Amino acid sequence: MTHVSVYLCIFGAAAHCITAVPAALQHRSAQTLAEVLPNLPSWWVPEHPVSFIVVIAFGLLGVFLSLKGKQVDRYLSA
């Protein structure tokens, strides 16, 4: 679960660069990733700060559940 969150954050940062840098160079408003790359399914890439917060929260939840799962496994195997 945590690897997925890390990859989503990386993909989101890359998507932000793909959309914001050309817009800044051409002095226009930024487009969404779906407008820049219409043939790429990009519904899963976070492009908004709220999306990044959700992805990071899922990553932290994954770490927490992994640690608790290991505690339960140690308890059951003892």
Side-chain angles (χ1 to χ4, degrees), residues 25-52:
L25 293 175
Q26 297 173 357
H27 303 292
R28 60 176 172 79
S29 61
Q31 297 175 309
T32 63
L33 188 62
E35 293 169 342
V36 174
L37 302 169
N39 294 331
L40 180 71
S42 61
W43 57 266
W44 51 271
V45 177
E47 293 188 55
H48 193 272
V50 174
S51 302
F52 280 102

Side-chain angles (χ1 to χ4, degrees), residues 60-74:
L60 292 174
L61 179 66
V63 168
F64 174 76
L65 292 176
S66 176
L67 294 174
K68 289 299 176 184
K70 288 179 183 179
Q71 285 180 350
V72 169
D73 189 41
R74 279 188 295 236

